[in-house]
Amino acid sequence: MKRIKLITVLLAGLLFGACSSSSDDNDNNSNTNAAYTETSQSEAPAWQIDWSNNQERPSWTEPDASLYENWTILKVQIEETLLPYASAGDLMALFVNGEIRALAAPASIVGSEQTASGKFLMKAYGNETGSETLHMTLQYYSQTLQHIFTLTDDISLNSDVTTGFDEAFIPEFTYGSAKYPVTTTIDVAAILARAGLTFAKGNIVAAFVGDECRGVGDWSLNGDLIVFLRERGEAVTLKYYDAATGKLYTFPNAVSR
């Protein structure tokens, strides 16, 4: 049977450290500057994004294989940020022009029935010839988070290719968050320059909207911090923890790119 590749890599994998509003204000001394505040903190903050949502479990149904002439196999790996929340109750679905073409639960269970591998093995169907440009939608439902993540792309088909076997396919589902549909970036180096600081290895940085953590990174982020927003125009505060000095620097009105 001729197989048609129904999806290309929608987005390359991106590894995030997690970020959440934990108590990071247990300071004894503080200095204030118009551009930032500086406080003492003995322990590194445990920041992580709260990805939990309140969406209902989708009622997706398997496509009818008898309606299609072609098929391909996809193996999808959940990105590292969401992997701790993977469970046997998760779902993955692929849609082509709004029509469901594949549906899967985690492909394997590792360790126990409660611990899922975060890998989905999917058989996707189609009648395309391989020359069309199609609107693809890949959706991931996390049962633990009650969150449906959605990625979309317009792609051209390639024939006789499987996805996720020779090279891991790790879509960046965090970029398709229903809770935080908008992303922006902050030039960390430019913000830290307000206090005469440079980003040193072993330190961490996080972005907040109010008390809610919206992005986190370490020295490996290479300049720009990804920030997740509910809507454009939200006021972002950047926090930077210097492990060597035990200082926490807070920069209000962090300017996004």
Side-chain angles (χ1 to χ4, degrees):
M1 172 185 291
K2 182 180 179 182
R3 293 180 294 172
I4 299 297
K5 182 183 178 185
L6 292 177
I7 188 167
T8 58
V9 176
L10 297 173
L11 294 168
L14 179 64
L15 304 182
F16 272 116
C19 128
S20 107
S21 146
S22 66
S23 93
D24 50 49
D25 296 318
N26 51 347
D27 52 282
N28 298 315
N29 303 297
S30 66
N31 294 320
T32 303
N33 181 287
Y36 66 93
T37 61
E38 174 190 332
T39 59
S40 297
Q41 183 168 319
S42 59
E43 296 183 2
W47 293 322
Q48 69 176 35
I49 295 175
D50 178 10
W51 292 105
S52 62
N53 209 350
N54 58 357
Q55 293 176 291
E56 294 184 2
R57 185 180 183 82
S59 56
W60 296 325
T61 57
E62 290 273 3
D64 183 352
S66 67
L67 300 177
Y68 304 98
E69 296 181 358
N70 309 315
W71 55 269
T72 189
I73 298 296
L74 314 175
K75 185 167 70 174
V76 184
Q77 171 70 58
I78 298 301
E79 65 185 292
E80 186 172 302
T81 301
L82 299 178
L83 193 54
Y85 309 105
S87 75
D90 294 353
L91 297 171
M92 183 84 65
L94 174 67
F95 296 84
V96 178
N97 294 335
E99 178 183 67
I100 192 166
R101 297 291 185 87
L103 178 64
S108 59
I109 304 298
V110 177
S112 71
E113 292 184 357
Q114 286 74 40
T115 305
S117 68
K119 294 180 180 178
F120 293 78
L121 194 62
M122 310 175 73
K123 189 171 185 179
Y125 298 93
N127 291 317
E128 288 73 28
T129 64
S131 60
E132 300 92 335
T133 296
L134 303 174
H135 185 69
M136 296 283 186
T137 301
L138 190 63
Q139 290 193 300
Y140 167 54
Y141 171 71
S142 169
Q143 179 175 264
T144 301
L145 298 172
Q146 294 184 290
H147 197 151
I148 301 172
F149 297 87
T150 302
L151 293 176
T152 61
D153 198 7
D154 292 322
I155 72 166
S156 297
L157 298 178
N158 295 316
S159 299
D160 302 318
V161 180
T162 57
T163 299
F165 292 89
D166 295 332
E167 184 177 350
F169 176 42
I170 312 175
E172 293 176 329
F173 279 111
T174 48
Y175 280 82
S177 168
K179 185 176 183 180
Y180 305 121
V182 178
T183 59
T184 189
T185 59
I186 288 178
D187 185 342
V188 174
I191 302 296
L192 296 185
R194 298 179 187 175
L197 300 170
T198 56
F199 206 155
K201 194 170 185 177
N203 298 341
I204 54 175
V205 64
F208 286 81
V209 174
D211 293 329
E212 188 176 12
C213 181
R214 299 293 188 83
V216 67
D218 57 22
W219 184 73
S220 65
L221 67 82
N222 196 27
D224 287 339
L225 177 67
I226 305 297
V227 183
F228 295 88
L229 303 175
R230 294 183 185 274
E231 58 185 24
R232 297 194 180 279
E234 290 184 303
V236 177
T237 295
L238 188 76
K239 296 189 178 186
Y240 177 70
Y241 180 71
D242 188 324
T245 63
K247 297 292 186 181
L248 177 68
Y249 297 86
T250 301
F251 300 85
N253 304 314
V255 178
S256 61
R257 288 186 184 276

